[in-house]
Amino acid sequence: MQPPAEADPTVVSISTPADILGVLPHRLGFTPRESLVVVCLDGPRRRDRLVMRADLGDPAHDRSLAAELADRAVRAGATAAILVCYTEGGADSGRLARAALVTELTERLGEQDTEVVEALLVREGRWWSYRCSDQACCPRDGTPLSERLTPAAGRYAAESVARGDVVLGDRQDLVGSIEPPDDAVARQVRDQAADSAAERLGEVAGERGPDGVRALTMATLRRLADHWVEGRCEVDPGAAALVALGLHDIPARDEAMTLLLDREPGALVGLFSRLARLTDDVDAAPLCTVLAWTAYADGNGALAAVAAERALRAQPGYSMALLVLDGLDQMVPPAAIRDVSAQVRADLRDE
């Protein structure tokens, strides 16, 4: 199941199926396939708070999947929801594909006073509404997906692109987006950068101790973040290696996790993703955990999960990565990540 994503700071009024379908890939970071997506809405204005995605499995398990999704939506505080099913599967006894699952989830949400305001099917380049049978707006043969975004979806997409976000083909592409290139030249560049960074940090440690290493690490990271926010998105492999090595210091890692209090988390996500692509697994656990934490705060649950999983692959049992995955599983709202970050910063200052 796809961990939750909280609403982006960008405020866009979404009112039509075309708006919804145009925005969702940007919210998730990839185009869903064989998935059921639940957009959790909250309040009288029905603000988009969380997005959940679950793989479509055997229809025999639809009841349990619906029960789990409904429970998660309610725990997330949803007062209304939008459901979107992405599948290439055929119709079920003359009904729209996976209609039984959508109906089951709608009923379970209704039992918890969570209204489903729209339910859509996306299949073979067209979309249908599970809730509307008016041929004037929802023809029996479906409505072709538009190649052009609606104004609302276009605005959202433009804001996402400005932050450095991209829409990938599927979740596996998302996994690959934070992996380093495996060709011989790229490996050699990373090795040389890591050796040089280790030598420099060793010199600083000998002269100024751990505090000096931490100061150099954070000064380098803040400089990279400032450049990234300004649109200067080139990252020197040497600087990337220095940051990755420096973040093995736990206070430095924790301080890096609080940068989202000062800068737009979406921009930081782009920077940390680039740094992850310049870092081999041997040094990736702290950096990928910072990426996971920042992505979580930015509402990008998909990337947060992928980054935490890479951290654990690099260093099994890495406690902070496990904490991120546990928070995602428990539906801890991304806003809480900011609160924890503020407390971490206060604790670091006290120390």
Side-chain angles (χ1 to χ4, degrees):
M1 179 174 295
Q2 182 65 48
E6 185 167 298
D8 189 272
T10 303
V11 178
V12 177
S13 178
I14 302 299
S15 58
T16 70
D19 290 340
I20 296 167
L21 299 178
V23 163
L24 272 184
H26 292 276
R27 288 284 281 111
L28 291 167
F30 60 93
T31 301
R33 303 178 192 279
E34 298 303 319
S35 302
L36 180 60
V37 177
V38 181
V39 182
C40 298
L41 308 175
D42 177 42
R45 299 183 63 185
R46 290 176 173 169
R47 294 289 300 274
D48 167 7
R49 295 302 185 191
L50 296 171
V51 176
M52 300 183 290
R53 186 201 66 86
D55 292 329
L56 292 175
D58 189 325
H61 303 302
D62 281 356
R63 288 179 62 85
S64 60
L65 176 59
E68 182 175 359
L69 286 171
D71 178 65
R72 285 173 174 261
V74 171
R75 278 193 283 138
T79 58
I82 295 170
L83 313 181
V84 184
C85 180
Y86 293 83
T87 182
E88 297 304 311
D92 180 18
S93 302
R95 306 169 70 192
L96 292 178
R98 306 312 292 254
L101 170 59
V102 172
T103 298
E104 179 75 18
L105 179 53
T106 298
E107 292 176 351
R108 287 182 178 270
L109 288 170
E111 292 169 358
Q112 301 294 328
D113 296 324
T114 301
E115 178 189 3
V116 173
V117 297
E118 183 60 276
L120 303 172
L121 167 67
V122 179
R123 177 173 174 267
E124 296 181 348
R126 308 177 78 85
W127 65 265
W128 290 259
S129 173
Y130 290 100
R131 300 173 60 83
C132 178
S133 58
D134 185 347
Q135 294 297 303
C137 62
C138 299
R140 185 175 293 106
D141 293 333
T143 301
L145 292 172
S146 176
E147 295 183 359
R148 299 185 63 182
L149 295 175
T150 64
R155 180 187 167 201
Y156 189 97
E159 293 286 347
S160 297
V161 170
R163 294 194 309 270
D165 298 345
V166 295
V167 178
L168 301 168
D170 55 27
R171 191 177 189 274
Q172 193 56 43
D173 287 343
L174 186 64
V175 172
S177 73
I178 61 169
E179 297 283 350
D182 196 35
D183 62 275
V185 173
R187 289 197 303 272
Q188 183 177 6
V189 169
R190 293 196 300 273
D191 288 344
Q192 292 175 347
D195 290 343
S196 177
E199 182 178 354
R200 185 179 181 194
L201 288 174
E203 293 172 353
V204 172
E207 296 172 358
R208 300 168 53 198
D211 289 346
V213 171
R214 189 173 309 142
L216 176 59
T217 299
M218 292 308 302
T220 303
L221 181 54
R222 288 193 178 93
R223 174 174 56 81
L224 292 174
D226 290 341
H227 289 176
W228 196 274
V229 170
E230 294 167 0
R232 291 184 281 170
C233 299
E234 294 301 320
V235 177
D236 177 73
L242 190 149
V243 169
L245 288 172
L247 291 182
H248 282 285
D249 174 71
I250 298 301
R253 182 206 66 191
D254 291 350
E255 188 174 349
M257 291 166 63
T258 70
L259 289 181
L260 60 90
L261 299 172
D262 308 317
R263 296 167 176 83
E264 174 59 45
L268 291 174
V269 166
L271 170 61
F272 291 138
S273 296
R274 178 68 61 82
L275 294 175
R277 292 195 293 273
L278 292 170
T279 304
D280 287 313
D281 272 1
V282 65
D283 293 313
L287 173 62
C288 286
T289 300
V290 173
L291 169 58
W293 185 264
T294 307
Y296 196 160
D298 189 46
N300 193 335
L303 181 57
V306 165
E309 288 163 3
R310 186 182 171 205
L312 291 171
R313 185 189 75 202
Q315 188 171 329
Y318 196 73
S319 59
M320 186 57 69
L322 289 171
L323 182 64
V324 171
L325 290 179
D326 185 62
L328 291 167
D329 186 62
Q330 297 299 320
M331 299 294 294
V332 174
I337 301 301
R338 294 173 179 269
D339 295 338
V340 174
S341 297
Q343 184 58 56
V344 168
R345 174 168 289 180
D347 291 344
L348 288 170
R349 287 173 175 171
D350 288 343
E351 292 174 3

